[in-house]
Amino acid sequence: MPLPRIPSDPSLRGRFSGCLLGGAVGDALGAPVEFLDLDQIVRAYGEGGIRDYAPAYGKLGAITDDTQMTLFTAEAMLSAHVGAVLQSQEPDFFRAAAGSYARWLMTQENSRLVSSASASASWLLQQKKLFSRRAPGTTCLSALQTSRGSVTRAMNDSKGCGGVMRVAPVGMYFAHSLSRERHRDRLLSSIFRTGNDLAAITHGHASGCLSAGALAVMISLVLAGNPLREAIHAAKGELCKHPSHAETLAAIEKAESLVTSRPRERNALRELGKGFVAEEALAMGLYCALGATDFEDGIILAVNHSGDSDSTGTITGNLLGAAAGVEAIPGRWLANLELRSAIEAIADDLAALPEWEVRSERDVEERAFYASRYPAS
């Protein structure tokens, strides 16, 4: 069997690729206008706003810190899984994420690649194009610089969107179990808790973490075949189990209300906020995904506003891509997407995870391959 494994189910592969590539496409479309207000966007790109890639960071189709950190979240989930199998214990996602986010920080602090010895510790860290600063969030940087890879929660009170915009791989990882599980309540709670906990590595405010937990549940349920509205309903059920949920719940329910009464309106989107904080980014992503006529329609609305365009584009793209699959993403956006092959490879690894032959001592080659690709932190 050639390694890495390719998912045997084409439909499943398409939806996992759609989720990760969709988020990256939304990120890349929003990158050139991230720091512009809507009037400036309209003056630069016309009344329809930005509709195709424009130069950002010296290239077309450039991703930002949103996709960078999403990839390192995926690495964390897979590293935790491999470590758990090899050590016959439960996965420690929090510890793995602390290590993976420390590696992401390394890409932001080094203008040149780390030594080959260090790079060999992680396949993702060997992707040279990740060594580029793409307007990383100050909260993420400061929290990780303070912790320096230690397994700890952030001590700040930030609810910025840096936790929720990177959390889709949590839902992707658990989607396999969710598809097989008849009694979902306990598993949904685990998904929510994992998304919440991984956001807490950098963001200390409840809304910054609870929004991430809610999105992780939604992504997992959509990939398991549930309509987005049902996924939102289930995520709200999990959200309400936690103290301090009122702010995040209100934002989600406002998005649901507006998409019913005023779908696909820039003015309605503006009422949800600007997306710089977590519950606003989540609500704006939900509004755009729920009202979209297709993938392109939803993403264009998601990035054309006076706010955090790349993050709202990322969340919308994750949701729409998970629901419709990679074939729904316009080919012109995929063609020039930075790091496309690496994004596809990690999506395939998440999709093929149940097919990995790593649990038996007989599977020496495959165990060694994935242990090297996704090392325990």
Side-chain angles (χ1 to χ4, degrees):
M1 171 62 69
L3 296 173
R5 285 181 177 265
I6 300 301
S8 59
D9 182 340
S11 175
L12 182 74
R13 185 186 190 190
R15 286 182 284 116
F16 270 66
S17 291
C19 182
L20 217 53
L21 286 169
V25 162
D27 179 26
L29 191 66
V33 297
E34 178 182 5
F35 301 109
L36 303 181
D37 62 34
L38 183 58
D39 289 341
Q40 292 173 309
I41 295 172
V42 169
R43 284 199 297 271
Y45 300 101
E47 187 59 37
I50 189 168
R51 306 180 69 87
D52 282 302
Y53 294 151
Y57 306 103
K59 62 187 70 181
L60 291 176
I63 61 167
T64 77
D65 62 309
D66 293 38
T67 299
Q68 290 176 341
M69 294 200 77
T70 298
L71 293 176
F72 279 96
T73 301
E75 180 195 74
M77 300 303 292
L78 293 166
S79 295
H81 177 85
V82 173
V85 169
L86 296 181
Q87 298 169 30
S88 300
Q89 62 186 27
E90 290 298 308
D92 189 340
F93 301 113
F94 191 82
R95 178 176 295 276
S100 286
Y101 293 154
R103 286 192 280 274
W104 170 78
L105 181 63
M106 188 183 302
T107 70
Q108 304 301 291
E109 292 183 331
N110 290 272
S111 58
R112 296 188 297 274
L113 296 184
V114 294
S115 68
S116 58
S118 297
S120 65
S122 166
W123 173 80
L124 189 57
L125 205 59
Q126 297 175 51
Q127 309 308 305
K128 297 179 180 180
K129 291 182 179 179
L130 284 172
F131 284 76
S132 180
R133 287 177 73 107
R134 300 294 172 80
T138 55
T139 296
C140 288
L141 287 175
S142 62
L144 295 173
Q145 287 166 343
T146 299
S147 64
R148 287 294 169 190
S150 61
V151 185
T152 184
R153 292 172 177 264
M155 299 302 292
N156 59 50
D157 193 38
S158 173
K159 61 171 182 173
C161 68
V164 67
M165 58 75 168
R166 68 184 189 233
V167 82
V170 174
M172 297 172 75
Y173 174 87
F174 283 105
H176 300 292
S177 300
L178 203 55
S179 296
R180 300 188 299 266
E181 183 63 53
R182 290 186 178 181
H183 306 289
R184 294 181 167 185
D185 290 351
R186 183 177 300 177
L187 184 54
L188 290 176
S189 294
S190 295
I191 299 169
F192 190 102
R193 182 174 60 253
T194 303
N196 180 90
D197 286 350
L198 265 58
I201 293 174
T202 54
H203 290 74
H205 192 286
S207 296
C209 301
L210 295 175
S211 298
L215 181 59
V217 169
M218 294 175 203
I219 292 288
S220 198
L221 284 165
V222 170
L223 284 171
N226 297 268
L228 178 54
R229 288 186 183 276
E230 292 182 13
I232 294 171
H233 178 75
K236 289 195 298 183
E238 291 301 320
L239 175 64
C240 289
K241 296 177 182 178
H242 296 262
S244 306
H245 68 264
E247 187 172 51
T248 303
L249 179 64
I252 293 172
E253 292 187 333
K254 186 172 182 179
E256 291 180 293
S257 175
L258 283 172
V259 84
T260 299
S261 60
R262 297 162 57 195
R264 303 173 63 243
E265 283 188 19
R266 286 180 182 171
N267 287 337
L269 184 64
R270 184 181 295 122
E271 292 183 23
L272 295 171
K274 293 189 173 184
F276 291 113
V277 294
E279 77 277 5
E280 290 182 2
L282 176 60
M284 293 168 77
L286 292 174
Y287 174 83
C288 294
L290 282 168
T293 58
D294 57 25
F295 184 93
E296 181 171 353
D297 176 71
I299 295 298
I300 288 174
L301 178 62
V303 301
N304 283 289
H305 61 85
S306 302
D308 200 347
S309 297
D310 59 330
S311 295
T312 51
T314 295
I315 293 169
T316 304
N318 290 145
L319 290 165
L320 290 175
V326 68
E327 60 273 13
I329 303 175
R332 71 185 191 279
W333 288 349
L334 289 173
N336 293 316
L337 180 64
E338 185 180 26
L339 278 171
R340 176 183 175 180
S341 61
I343 296 167
E344 288 175 326
I346 289 186
D348 277 350
D349 285 346
L350 285 162
L353 186 63
E355 302 177 61
W356 290 5
E357 299 290 345
V358 295
R359 295 189 178 276
S360 169
E361 293 292 344
R362 296 189 303 271
D363 308 312
V364 175
E365 181 182 357
E366 195 155 346
R367 284 165 66 95
F369 175 84
Y370 285 113
S372 174
R373 191 171 174 86
Y374 299 109
S377 297

